[in-house]
Amino acid sequence: MKHLHRLFWLIVFLTILGGVINLPEKFRIKFFIPASKIGWKDFLIDKEFTRPISKINIKIGKFHFYRDLNPKQGIDLAGGTHLVFQADTKGIKEEDRSTAMEAVRNNIERRINLFGISETVVHTSKQGEDYRLVVEIPGVENVAQAIDLIGQTAQLDFRELPKEATVASSFGDFKPTGLTGKDLVHSRVEFDRNTGKPVVGLEFSSEGAEKFSEITKRNIGKQVAIFLDEWPLTAPVVQEEITTGKAVITGNFTIEEAKKLSIQLNAGALPVPIKVIEQRKIGASLGAESIRKSIRAGLIGLVMVILFMIGYYGYLGFLAVCGLVIYGLLTFALYKLIPVTLTLPGVAGFLLSVGMAVDANILIFERMKEEMRAGKPKHVAMELGFGRAWDSIRDANICTLITCFVLFNPFEWSFLNTSGMVRGFALTLGLGVILSLFTGIVVTRTILRIFSLKEKT
Amino acid sequence: MKWMKFRWLYFTISALVLLPGIYSLIRWGLRLSIDFVGGTILEYQFTPHKEKKQIEEVIEKLGVEIYSLQETSEGSFIFRLPPIEKEKGEEIKKQLGKELEAEVKELRFEVIGPILGKELIKKTVIAILLAAGFILFYVAWRFKDKKFGICAILAMFHDSLVVLGLFSLLGHFLKVEIDTLFVTAILTTLSFSVHDTVVVYDRIRESQKVFPSVPFEELANKAVSETMVRSLNNSLTIIFMLLALVLLGGETIRWFVTALLVGTISGTYSSPFVAVPLLVVWNNLETRYQRKK
């Protein structure tokens, strides 16, 4: 009994927490009854509320969890831009292609973040022999600006300090030398012969070697900085003039760091030209009308489902609807926490999962009715109903989860979808099914048990 | 109820639904949207509002090649064109504004490469086959018999074929195009179909344990009777939802929801009337074969 009540309060707690998380950040409650209606004075509530939990910010050691709790909507629901870039990898050796693409991806992501657009998804994709880059930006109206921003190829350049300065006070003090990524032939991770530590080796073209020799000559004992897209990578101190056209960047690199830097340098050195092959601009205003209608229709459908459940199963149906409301609150709270960017296929996945949650309830109720018809007392029938229905609920839902797993492709197998709407669908359906198992089995059952207890006493 | 006595009737109904669809699929295929074949979609809003005819005349005069021109319920116009450059789009917009003496607002400019569509389809088909394989093994393992798994998968393909066939016909006669959302609808149908079938099969499995000596066909009848109310009720709730969306929902998702609706109805029908009869037929053949031996 104690266990049961604890479970009940846990459900109440989760529901309230879910409800709070689901609230919009700011909302206004307006309530007005004119004096004539109640024969007293005007009754008016008009107040703006702020969600009690404005954001979640948890820091435990290295673990950092931050969520702003604003709903994330995909470009199909909120509008935005979907861009696909095709990389021209002809000039790059086959074995270097994926590293080069990875570098391009990192640069572009940084560029967009610097530009101040959040919630951007940038990922590389390989279609057959073609290397591509998919960029999804929700809510950007100006596609041309986004393309310009992304389409610039990575720029690597070497900078020196002005003559009079000896120590850099900030990276802004460095001035361009004219030596850029175009002069770099290759960069790779090497190991220092004396210390065995990883270093990054640079190899310049003959022209670049000349420039580099001059730069190093006039900067001995001073810093020379390497910038990537206006972003300082490193600023080593020149030890001696270098005429061979080869240089190493030493520093306390780990192998990973050296590898990363080398990738970035290669991207600057071998800028992979990219061009837009797919461009989708979906104005929010366009989708909004259709979405508004659909939300209204969805609500009407929902009311019909609720009426049907209560009409057909009476009291049980009402409890099931309570379970479904809790299910809805928890699911949307989870979407905000993960966060899941909602798209139309995602909503379809959610609706299907609601259908399956209803199904679990119906299965249980039909079993209960059967047991009751067989003459079992109500609370026994209830427990039996849950037990008997469980096998079919489990097997049916596991089949759905299998489908979700393959469609979501968590291991990024290249022969399956690695991006896009199919994954969104699989994610919301999968999450929905898992949660519906929880609400169908734990929540509805607990509510039923609590209520049947009250009946008995 | 002796449901299984009429199994050939169910197969006939399925055949009557499937054959026109299959014929249409072979003969006309599916009408692919530019999601799959690539091209450009432009959507313009004209202020003041222009008639479709006026715009068509201007388009012809300008010599712009378009696949189709559609007026939306919001009063804007959707142009489908072969792939064009951004600059060309700007030019069309300018010329249209000049010729029609109207202010043109660009609501959409989409260029879609054709390869993506093929790639998506290929990968999704692989995913479906893979998922089907996994489900087959899972069901076969849970039900301790491979025929359960195979029949569940057959019913699943039956349902997707119903939806595919219908949309092939719709494409031919009503020019309904299938887009990436349609792929989602097919996936939903697949998941729903298996889910529904497993619930019915579960009853057969349970009865098999309780009444091991009762003939399989009778167990199947019993299972179908026992799950009929549940199947109808469950599907009704989903159908309520989808019907509301088809009738009242936005234009952009209407065909998507229609596909879901058809998939759900077929998925509900196929569990007792395709998946179970197939199982019974298979079982009867098996027994006959064993007797001959």
Side-chain angles (χ1 to χ4, degrees), chain A residues 39-171:
Chain A
W40 193 40
K41 59 178 184 179
D42 279 358
F43 183 74
L44 171 75
I45 297 176
D46 185 3
K47 209 174 165 191
E48 194 171 85
F49 292 89
T50 315
R51 181 176 53 219
I53 308 171
S54 71
K55 51 181 167 267
I56 296 178
N57 198 352
I58 303 168
K59 249 186 195 166
I60 305 168
K62 273 192 176 176
F63 174 76
H64 191 188
F65 185 85
Y66 173 83
R67 293 288 179 266
D68 59 10
L69 296 183
N70 290 324
K72 310 282 179 292
Q73 290 179 331
I75 48 171
D76 56 344
L77 296 182
T81 313
H82 175 97
L83 299 162
V84 179
F85 293 87
Q86 169 96 46
D88 180 10
T89 48
K90 253 179 266 151
I92 302 169
K93 270 188 263 157
E94 215 156 331
E95 62 265 30
D96 295 336
R97 283 180 188 167
S98 23
T99 30
M101 284 305 291
E102 196 52 37
V104 171
R105 195 203 87 90
N106 292 341
N107 288 338
I108 284 175
E109 192 165 49
R110 195 174 57 227
R111 226 178 257 171
I112 294 170
N113 286 337
L114 278 176
F115 190 63
I117 305 169
S118 57
E119 304 312 323
T120 308
V121 184
V122 186
H123 49 95
T124 57
S125 79
K126 196 183 170 212
Q127 314 273 0
E129 283 307 299
D130 292 339
Y131 288 85
R132 287 185 185 164
L133 208 66
V134 178
V135 184
E136 280 175 352
I137 310 165
V140 166
E141 295 295 328
N142 196 340
V143 186
Q145 202 179 358
I147 294 176
D148 285 349
L149 185 77
I150 294 160
Q152 299 161 357
T153 46
Q155 283 304 314
L156 174 79
D157 73 327
F158 288 74
R159 297 185 188 183
E160 62 186 344
L161 287 168
K163 263 185 200 147
E164 55 276 17
T166 46
V167 183
S169 56
S170 80
F171 280 107

Side-chain angles (χ1 to χ4, degrees), chain A residues 127 278-280 286 289-290 294 312-313 344 359 367 370 392 394-395 398 406 414 417 421 425, chain B residues 35 43 74 110-111 116 119 123 138 142 180 188 195 202-203 205-206 230 233-234 250 252-253:
Chain A
Q127 314 273 0
E278 184 184 323
Q279 170 186 337
R280 285 167 151 262
L286 185 68
E289 177 56 34
S290 183
S294 305
Y312 194 89
Y313 291 105
L344 189 53
D359 187 39
R367 284 293 174 121
E370 259 171 54
S392 58
R394 180 199 55 206
D395 285 345
I398 285 178
V406 175
S414 63
N417 281 302
M421 48 145 244
F425 168 79
Chain B
D35 284 8
E43 184 166 350
E74 286 88 7
E110 295 187 8
V111 179
L116 267 179
E119 210 56 50
K123 286 183 170 175
Y138 179 76
R142 295 299 319 181
T180 41
T188 312
H195 180 102
D202 173 67
R203 276 306 177 102
R205 169 175 62 183
E206 201 184 286
R230 164 264 158 194
N233 283 356
N234 180 43
T252 40
I253 66 164

Side-chain angles (χ1 to χ4, degrees), chain A residues 240-449:
Chain A
E240 60 193 342
E241 185 194 340
I242 301 165
T243 52
T244 54
K246 281 185 186 171
V248 285
I249 307 173
T250 51
N252 276 321
F253 297 125
T254 62
I255 292 185
E256 286 311 309
E257 282 166 350
K259 218 188 253 171
K260 202 174 134 203
L261 180 55
S262 165
I263 287 172
Q264 284 178 320
L265 288 176
N266 276 332
L270 307 166
V272 182
I274 51 178
K275 71 169 198 273
V276 183
I277 57 160
E278 184 184 323
Q279 170 186 337
R280 285 167 151 262
K281 171 179 146 191
I282 300 159
S285 67
L286 185 68
E289 177 56 34
S290 183
I291 288 160
R292 232 191 339 267
K293 270 192 194 165
S294 305
I295 288 174
R296 208 189 52 202
L299 288 176
I300 293 171
L302 204 63
V303 170
M304 280 162 71
V305 171
I306 289 172
L307 289 178
F308 173 78
M309 289 291 282
I310 296 174
Y312 194 89
Y313 291 105
Y315 164 71
L316 284 177
F318 172 74
L319 293 184
V321 169
C322 292
L324 281 182
V325 170
I326 295 173
Y327 168 72
L329 285 174
L330 292 182
T331 312
F332 272 105
L334 200 63
Y335 288 172
K336 276 189 168 185
L337 288 175
I338 287 184
V340 174
T341 304
L342 266 188
T343 57
L344 189 53
V347 173
F350 172 70
L351 282 181
L352 183 61
S353 71
V354 171
M356 289 175 176
V358 174
D359 187 39
N361 282 317
I362 291 180
L363 275 170
I364 293 164
F365 296 160
E366 288 298 328
R367 284 293 174 121
M368 284 169 61
K369 280 186 164 179
E370 259 171 54
E371 299 300 333
M372 263 146 68
R373 254 179 259 139
K376 303 247 168 61
K378 200 172 172 187
H379 64 280
V380 177
M382 197 186 86
E383 295 301 325
L384 280 173
F386 271 100
R388 294 266 159 82
W390 171 242
D391 270 359
S392 58
I393 294 173
R394 180 199 55 206
D395 285 345
N397 282 302
I398 285 178
C399 285
T400 309
L401 286 177
I402 289 173
T403 313
C404 292
F405 182 82
V406 175
L407 291 177
F408 185 67
N409 187 15
F411 300 122
E412 309 247 326
W413 291 320
S414 63
F415 58 93
L416 296 178
N417 281 302
T418 48
S419 70
M421 48 145 244
V422 175
R423 278 186 127 178
F425 168 79
L427 181 63
T428 50
L429 178 59
L431 284 176
V433 166
I434 292 168
L435 263 180
S436 82
L437 283 176
F438 170 71
T439 52
I441 300 304
V442 180
V443 176
T444 315
R445 193 178 198 168
T446 307
I447 297 175
L448 267 175
R449 278 177 175 166

Side-chain angles (χ1 to χ4, degrees), chain B residues 130-147:
Chain B
L130 200 65
F134 282 142
I135 290 173
L136 197 153
F137 278 114
Y138 179 76
V139 174
W141 171 58
R142 295 299 319 181
F143 289 82
K144 300 192 181 66
D145 196 337
K146 66 177 181 307
K147 60 175 182 275

